[in-house]
């Protein structure tokens, strides 16, 4: 297994996020989930990347800072391949099944909370850079913030589909992100550009808001104190979903590239 | 991909649970994780069993009653193959890393709570039966209870290793199971037979205890009210880990065969 080249990455990102599902499903299959080979094709008997990813997704591994180097290519192939997309699709489909079974009060106060990064917008063009290595390189906040300002993130297809269906069902949408307030314009531009055209609130993080689970729980509490009812809550991090006022039901989208506690 | 035969199943169970890790790792590799083929080798384009299992393990799918027929063979191969074992090993290793960093009071009140089924004892010989189909057939409580009375469950190697290390570190062990009190003798016999030779408490379910998350939370509350401190809590079901008095940290072991709410 070789490291994805820049050309492969860009081609795949283009196909995965712009082409129809039919094309993506029939022509692309580089999803080589062999966990026993890491960077350069060397065997890594001590780390099973499938087990590592499962432990990450179930919150058994916490406070990790980078993707293990041995799993860099595995994570890259997973994120660029069909499996990631299908993993997301199953969760968003289940979320819709749940949502359509709820009775809404019709007063406009039933909300669905979405995180942004790797939940509604994908930063894969950034994470696929050689200098980022799908999370195997420690986060460079300067380059990441510059990327945010480009407002060039991609819609995650399953989440965009769910978003549209929730609005059709009568839910109000709240975006709740750990991004700092200073990036509001760029985030707004990015959301609108890829199809998230309307929302009740777009909550960004301000000085004194704290971080991670404390920040998200605080903002959700404020929402419910203002009379909103959080019926569903979707994020790629457990810190989006744990703590008070979590919502009637939470949905965890996959993200093996980074951890926010 | 063919359905595992009875001979394969028994042979693998023998090898997986009795032979050394070295033998199991080098000789056995029937772990054919191709989610696109279901029973009889027919393609199932609508259900990706890898996505299904991930959604189960992350608690995105809830209140499901049986393994989808299209994923029966996938689940069987997963449970009998190396991947399940390695998935468990990574979680139990992480639990040990966590546990050894804790300061114990030395008063014998620091406890580690283990669920039993598919957490410390494996019921694979039962679930591998043709009549059970790795959870693809609806639960037959009569045959399952008869199996429990056989006291023939197998130790889950990673959990047994963790159990021994926790005792060496000074933790007291509490087994907390949804099994009914009437099976106490059989469960005791089974635990001791496979290496779980000592414990502080073995809590079984009595009439009026409720079920699932309510039962487990109630018993954990009673434990902490009695002065015990739950430092770690490990189970194969989210209902082992959610709710009050969950413990300083929880660990979710894989189980794609059944759901307890």
């Amino acid at each position: 297994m070789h490291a994805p080249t820049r050309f492969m990455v860009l081609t795949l990102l283009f196909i995965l996020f712009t082409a129809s599902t039919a094309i993506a499903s029939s022509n692309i299959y580089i999803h080589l989930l062999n966990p026993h080979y890491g960077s350069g094709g060397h065997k890594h008997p001590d780390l099973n990347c499938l087990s590592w990813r499962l432990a990450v997704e179930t919150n058994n591994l916490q406070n990790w800072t980078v993707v293990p180097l041995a799993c860099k290519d595995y994570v890259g192939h997973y994120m660029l391949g069909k499996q990631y997309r299908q993993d997301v699709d199953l969760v968003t489909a289940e979320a819709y099944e749940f949502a359509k079974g709820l009775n809404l009060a019709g007063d406009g106060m039933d909300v669905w909370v979405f995180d942004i990064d790797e939940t509604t917008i994908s930063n894969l063009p950034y994470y696929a850079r050689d200098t980022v290595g799908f999370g195997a390189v420690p986060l460079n906040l300067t380059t990441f913030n510059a990327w945010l300002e480009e407002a060039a993130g991609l819609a995650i297809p399953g989440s965009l589909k769910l978003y549209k269906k929730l609005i059709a069902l009568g839910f109000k949408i709240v975006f709740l992100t750990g991004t700092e307030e200073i990036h509001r314009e760029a985030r707004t531009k990015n959301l609108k550009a890829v199809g998230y055209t309307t929302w009740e609130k777009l909550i960004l993080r301000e000085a004194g808001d704290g971080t991670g689970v404390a920040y998200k729980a605080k903002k959700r509490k404020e929402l419910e104190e203002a009379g909103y009812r959080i019926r569903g809550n979707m994020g790629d991090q457990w810190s989006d979903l744990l703590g008070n006022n979590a919502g009637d039901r939470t949905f965890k989208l996959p993200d093996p590239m980074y951890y926010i506690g």
Side-chain angles (χ1 to χ4, degrees), chain A:
Chain A
M1 193 190 299
H2 302 290
T5 65
R6 192 161 183 84
F7 175 74
M8 277 168 67
V9 163
L10 291 174
T11 305
L12 276 162
L13 283 172
F14 177 77
I15 292 170
L16 283 168
F17 287 89
T18 64
S20 75
T21 305
I23 290 172
S25 299
S26 59
N27 293 341
I28 304 300
Y29 201 78
I30 63 144
H31 169 235
L32 309 168
L33 291 182
N34 184 336
H36 298 294
Y37 293 86
S39 182
H42 297 295
K43 234 183 167 178
H44 292 274
D46 296 325
L47 181 64
N48 181 315
C49 296
L50 273 173
S51 296
W52 179 83
R53 183 166 70 89
L54 181 65
V56 161
E57 294 300 344
T58 48
N59 209 22
N60 284 318
L61 289 180
Q62 300 179 355
N63 299 312
W64 52 278
T65 51
V66 289
V67 170
L69 204 55
C71 298
K72 175 182 147 183
D73 287 358
Y74 167 79
V75 169
H77 283 288
Y78 168 72
M79 290 302 297
L80 294 171
K82 280 201 303 189
Q83 193 60 46
Y84 167 64
R85 188 179 172 131
Q86 295 190 1
D87 288 351
V88 170
D89 286 351
L90 195 147
V91 180
T92 53
E94 177 69 9
Y96 176 63
E97 289 302 311
F98 166 72
K100 75 178 183 191
L102 294 174
N103 287 317
L104 304 197
D107 59 357
M109 300 303 273
D110 288 299
V111 299
W112 193 280
V113 174
F114 280 108
D115 170 58
I116 296 184
D117 295 303
E118 273 55 69
T119 299
T120 45
I121 285 184
S122 171
N123 296 301
L124 259 179
Y126 175 81
Y127 280 94
R129 290 180 189 172
D130 290 347
T131 50
V132 181
F134 299 101
V137 176
L139 177 68
N140 181 326
L141 207 53
T142 306
T143 63
F144 184 72
N145 283 339
W147 156 256
L148 284 190
E149 281 301 312
E150 288 180 38
L154 308 163
I156 295 177
S159 300
L160 181 57
K161 192 173 161 189
L162 173 64
Y163 162 88
K164 288 177 178 170
K165 286 180 163 185
L166 290 172
I167 289 172
L169 287 172
F171 289 90
K172 297 292 179 184
I173 304 298
V174 172
F175 290 111
L176 172 53
T177 174
T179 303
E180 289 180 74
E181 187 65 41
I182 195 171
H183 300 288
R184 178 175 288 273
E185 198 181 321
R187 306 287 0 217
T188 300
K189 184 179 165 195
N190 200 159
L191 284 166
K192 287 186 185 284
V194 299
Y196 301 99
T197 52
T198 182
W199 52 77
E200 182 76 4
K201 283 181 185 290
L202 166 57
I203 304 172
L204 292 96
R205 195 160 57 87
E206 293 180 276
D209 269 344
T211 56
V213 67
Y215 159 66
K216 296 263 171 154
K218 177 189 169 195
K219 292 297 173 183
R220 290 194 310 263
K221 185 157 180 278
E222 288 172 9
L223 274 175
E224 299 212 310
E225 283 172 352
Y228 291 104
R229 294 174 296 274
I230 302 174
R231 309 305 301 272
N233 178 10
M234 180 169 274
D236 66 304
Q237 301 287 324
W238 282 99
S239 57
D240 297 327
L241 311 174
L242 299 173
N244 53 264
N245 305 77
D248 289 0
R249 190 164 155 189
T250 64
F251 295 90
K252 167 73 175 77
L253 291 181
D255 183 359
M257 301 190 298
Y258 56 88
Y259 177 89
I260 300 171

